[in-house]
Structures are given as C-alpha cells and as structure tokens.
Amino acid sequence: MTRKPQVSLYLTTYTDDPNHDWNATLDLARAMDEAGVDRVVVADHLVFGENLNAYGDPAIGGMKGGRQPTGPDGNWLEPLIFLTTVAATTTRIRLGNAILLAALRRPAVLAKQLATMDVLSGGRIDLGVGVGWQREEYDAVGLRFEDRGRLLDHTLEVCQLLWTQQRAAYDSPELSFDGIHQMPKPMQARGIPVWISGTVNKRVARRLSRFGTRWIPWGADIVNLEESVPAMKQMIADVGGDPTDLEVQGTAVLKKGPDGAIDVDASVAAVPKQVAAGATDIRFGGSLPDDPAQATEQLSQLVTAFREVAPGDG
C-alpha cells in the first residue's frame, strides 16, 4: 500500500522564559491548521531532576549529543491538556505527541483522557509514545525506571483493550480487572493510532508488531533511514510481526533565508530522499514567525512545496 506522505510540525510547548505568552503558541497551532499542515506534535516531561546530562546518554534512552533545552525550572506544558486546547480552536489538523511518556500515567485514566480527546476533536488524535530517559520522572510517580519498557507495554495493553472492548477483562502482574466498561470509545476505528519511538532493537520491534506498525526512529536511526528502515522491517519480521505497512517518521529542519523567512525549497530538499527510504510522515522542527498571518503564509508555501516533492498516490 502506497501512502500519501504527510507533513508534520513540531510545536515547542516549553520555554525558559517565565513570561512567555502561551496564547501566541496557540496562534501558531491555528496557523498550522489554516496552512494545511497534516499534524502538530508536542513533547512531554512531567518533572525534572537535576541530572540533565542523562539526556545525552543513549544507554538509558537519551540521544548522543542531545541537550535538555531549559534547565530543571523551565516551563513545560502538559501535552494532553495543551492538545485539547488546540483541538478546540482548530478544525482539521491531527494532534500528536513526540513523545508522550505514557507509562507515567495510570492506564485506565490515560485511555479515558485520550478517548475523550478523540471524540471532542472529531477523531484527530495520534499517540506517540516512548520510555524516556529520565529516572527522576519515574521516581516522582513511584515507578521503577528499570521497569519502564514493561510499564509502557502494560499501559498500551490496557488502553487498547478499553478502546476496543465493550466489556473488558485484563490480568497481568501489574493489574487485574474483569467486567469493566469504559465509554466513550475513540471515534477512530480500532482505537487511537499508536506511534512507537525507539531504536532498531527487538523490544521496540515487538512493541511495533503488537500495538501498531508506526515507528518514530530515535538517535542514530533517524539520520540514516536507508539502513534503519530495512533493519527495523527485518526485526519486526524476526519477532513474528508483519512489517509490510510500516509507517515511519522522518525529520527535517525549517531553514531560513537571508530575510528570516522560511526557505521552502531548502527546507524540503531532503524530503524526497527520506520518502524514498520509507518515511511516510516528515516532521519539521524550527522556529516560526511570531506573527500568525506571516506564519500561515509561509507554512502554506511549505506545504505546497512539500506536496510537489512528495506527492505520493494515496
């Protein structure tokens, strides 16, 4: 199946500016909607400890060379509440996480929140998840950092069960229940689409095969899709899954011209190569004009250029 490639934009919902105007951030989300961007995605951190160097440690889930951008006392908005606000003030753009630390939330509560968001938004929610890199966030909610992979699987198991079963029963070492009903269900068939973040390894491949073959590559795997996409497809097959319809997030940067406006040709230059390598959704990151009208105009040009270089036939 060939998909029409989608264009996503990362929206910064954190700052080290104590006086930041969050209404301006919401204006940018509306500009994305009006310009025809397919999806807006936001980040998640519940709390911060003081060992911020862990962000750059791939051994525990960080990214080599990465840096936490605000310090421990930066303002980080809760993503589900923020996206609900965006849903209420937009009409068509999809609303996603890159990524939600889903294991930090109680599964049945998270399932209810996301189903409600999906209903109120008209079926526009995407759930991007990962295990995270910071031990202190697990400490703050009374969970073991060492169990983060299993805790994520447990959370997704419960969410997908409650999204799809009228009368739900569940039994695991973490939780057991029977005869449970949760309404409303998400508007989207088979529940809310789940995107799994991680590197090419068997744990992530199993997660993809169980919860939906939508992959957010992490670390070195995102910069070389020509190698990482075939490797992940093979890994999914090796663990007994079907990689045929694997969806993959690529990344691009909003590049600026001498006048400070988005240079659309330079920004989309890397898109055809990533699409050819298997990317189905390209997430752009970078700053946008403060003026919503300018942001809408420049993003409209970006979307048009993107459709031209990555038309697809879906």
Side-chain angles (χ1 to χ4, degrees):
M1 177 172 113
T2 302
R3 294 179 182 83
K4 182 178 180 180
Q6 294 192 318
V7 52
S8 296
L9 252 71
Y10 185 82
L11 183 59
T12 302
T13 51
Y14 54 82
T15 179
D16 56 7
D17 176 7
N19 301 311
H20 179 75
D21 180 5
W22 294 111
N23 287 318
T25 305
L26 291 169
D27 286 341
L28 290 179
R30 285 188 284 271
M32 294 177 188
D33 186 49
E34 293 173 12
V37 173
D38 293 305
R39 181 182 293 102
V40 56
V41 295
V42 299
D44 177 32
H45 277 293
L46 190 65
V47 299
F48 282 107
E50 297 176 345
N51 181 28
L52 300 184
N53 290 334
Y55 185 90
D57 184 358
I60 58 172
M63 180 179 290
K64 184 177 181 181
R67 182 183 66 84
Q68 198 272 8
T70 66
D73 294 319
N75 292 313
W76 290 67
L77 298 187
E78 201 289 322
L80 301 185
I81 292 175
F82 177 81
L83 289 174
T84 301
T85 306
V86 173
T89 57
T90 57
T91 59
R92 45 153 303 281
I93 195 167
R94 293 191 65 81
L95 314 160
N97 301 276
I99 57 168
L100 186 78
L101 301 172
L104 302 181
R105 281 86 173 171
R106 294 300 297 164
V109 177
L110 179 62
K112 184 76 162 186
Q113 290 172 319
L114 289 164
T116 301
M117 291 172 64
D118 202 58
V119 168
L120 293 178
S121 69
R124 291 190 279 145
I125 303 299
D126 287 304
L127 176 62
V129 300
V131 296
W133 55 271
Q134 188 181 200
R135 177 180 296 272
E136 288 86 347
E137 289 184 282
Y138 286 82
D139 291 343
V141 297
L143 298 172
R144 279 170 40 89
F145 183 66
E146 291 77 11
D147 296 337
R148 61 197 185 278
R150 171 56 203 157
L151 289 168
L152 176 57
D153 290 344
H154 160 61
T155 302
L156 295 176
E157 287 165 2
V158 174
C159 283
Q160 290 196 332
L161 181 71
L162 293 174
W163 290 337
T164 58
Q165 300 297 314
Q166 200 72 25
R167 185 179 190 274
Y170 182 76
D171 186 32
S172 77
E174 296 84 12
L175 176 68
S176 295
F177 57 73
D178 190 18
I180 294 298
H181 300 247
Q182 188 181 85
M183 297 295 287
K185 303 299 184 196
M187 286 188 65
Q188 299 179 81
R190 296 180 297 280
I192 291 164
V194 177
W195 289 76
I196 305 294
S197 174
T199 59
V200 177
N201 64 69
K202 287 187 176 180
R203 294 185 303 276
V204 174
R206 289 191 187 98
R207 205 164 283 139
L208 286 163
S209 65
R210 292 183 63 196
F211 302 113
T213 48
R214 305 172 191 89
W215 181 37
I216 303 174
W218 183 249
D221 288 330
I222 203 164
V223 299
N224 189 4
L225 295 182
E226 294 90 345
E227 294 183 8
S228 65
V229 171
M232 181 56 89
K233 287 184 175 181
Q234 184 60 55
M235 192 75 72
I236 292 170
D238 290 345
V239 301
D242 181 1
T244 304
D245 293 328
L246 180 67
E247 298 178 50
V248 180
Q249 179 199 281
T251 58
V253 177
L254 294 176
K255 297 184 178 180
K256 303 298 180 63
D259 59 355
I262 297 173
D263 184 333
V264 296
D265 291 334
S267 297
V268 303
V271 169
K273 182 179 179 182
Q274 292 195 49
V275 171
T280 59
D281 173 71
I282 307 295
R283 189 188 77 184
F284 287 82
S287 61
L288 294 169
D290 293 331
D291 179 75
Q294 291 183 10
T296 302
E297 180 182 0
Q298 293 179 29
L299 288 175
S300 297
Q301 295 171 5
L302 177 78
V303 170
T304 297
F306 180 89
R307 307 288 186 220
E308 291 174 351
V309 301
D313 57 7

